[in-house]
Amino acid sequence: MSVQPKVRMTADEFLAWAEGQPGRHELADGEVFSMSPERVRHAVTKFAAQTALRDAIRACGIPCKMLPDGLSVRVDEQTVFEPDALVHCGGRLDPDATTVPEPLIVVEVLSPSTKHVDTGFKFQGYFRLPSVQHYLILDTERRTVIHHRRGAGDLIETRIAASGDLILDPPGLTLPVEALFAEP
């Protein structure tokens, strides 16, 4: 990510501005950041994760949707993130919406330029949203998943997995770790 030489923006200002901009951007504490171009490893892993989530939702038969990157999550009035994938289990979304309210599962694929942001600032931001139950951080170099899940009270539980299944409950999904890193 690189900071843009712009004035500070609110989430509403950012979302209006971003619709007409080339490339992808995020807003962090009122500052606009351009997202770096993706590497093949990042893109392949992101697609595998999206596919694995979609397949797990279908297999489970639950009324949820996997939504790919390109859609934003408003964390607060100064912060808007664009995750690599998310799962929404609420009501029907407006087909023209650019933001997804109340995501249940959020996925980020680590890249060299964003590792510290994904594991720090975004981790804290996503869990400020009461709807977020699971935050999956995919480490492509180690082929591991850092699974943060909301526990009782204000507890966030963390598991690092290189194999086996992730149990994402709610909403009741079983997600094989290997599927998150499979070649599409």
Side-chain angles (χ1 to χ4, degrees):
M1 279 190 190
S2 63
V3 69
Q4 294 293 301
K6 302 241 182 265
V7 296
R8 295 181 65 78
M9 292 186 188
T10 65
D12 288 336
E13 292 166 339
F14 168 77
L15 290 167
W17 171 84
E19 261 193 77
Q21 300 302 309
R24 297 171 43 215
H25 304 84
E26 292 184 311
L27 184 71
D29 284 338
E31 289 186 72
V32 176
F33 290 84
S34 291
M35 298 174 79
S36 300
E38 291 181 353
R39 296 169 187 209
V40 169
R41 180 188 334 211
H42 185 101
V44 167
T45 302
K46 179 172 63 173
F47 183 74
Q50 293 167 353
T51 303
L53 284 165
R54 183 201 63 205
D55 292 349
I57 290 168
R58 285 181 179 165
C60 208
I62 57 176
C64 297
K65 294 272 187 224
M66 182 289 298
L67 297 163
D69 63 324
L71 295 167
S72 297
V73 173
R74 182 192 303 245
V75 172
D76 59 33
E77 288 308 310
Q78 301 296 316
T79 304
V80 178
F81 296 143
E82 184 184 314
D84 289 316
L86 62 85
V87 172
H88 178 264
C89 296
R92 183 182 162 107
L93 296 170
D94 177 347
D96 293 323
T98 59
T99 60
V100 177
E102 301 180 347
L104 190 69
I105 301 168
V106 180
V107 179
E108 294 283 0
V109 178
L110 289 181
S111 61
S113 63
T114 64
K115 186 175 188 172
H116 66 286
V117 175
D118 293 339
T119 58
F121 187 71
K122 284 187 177 183
F123 167 76
Q124 293 174 358
Y126 284 133
F127 277 109
R128 287 198 329 242
L129 299 172
S131 67
V132 172
Q133 298 298 308
H134 306 276
Y135 177 34
L136 306 179
I137 302 173
L138 308 183
D139 184 335
T140 60
E141 291 179 9
R142 292 180 181 82
R143 295 181 66 84
T144 58
V145 179
I146 305 166
H147 175 200
H148 300 290
R149 73 175 253 128
R150 191 176 300 276
D154 60 356
L155 181 66
I156 303 298
E157 301 168 348
T158 300
R159 173 182 175 218
I160 300 172
S163 62
D165 291 335
L166 298 177
I167 306 301
L168 305 178
D169 192 27
L173 299 178
T174 299
L175 195 61
V177 170
E178 302 83 43
L180 297 168
F181 297 100
E183 292 287 330

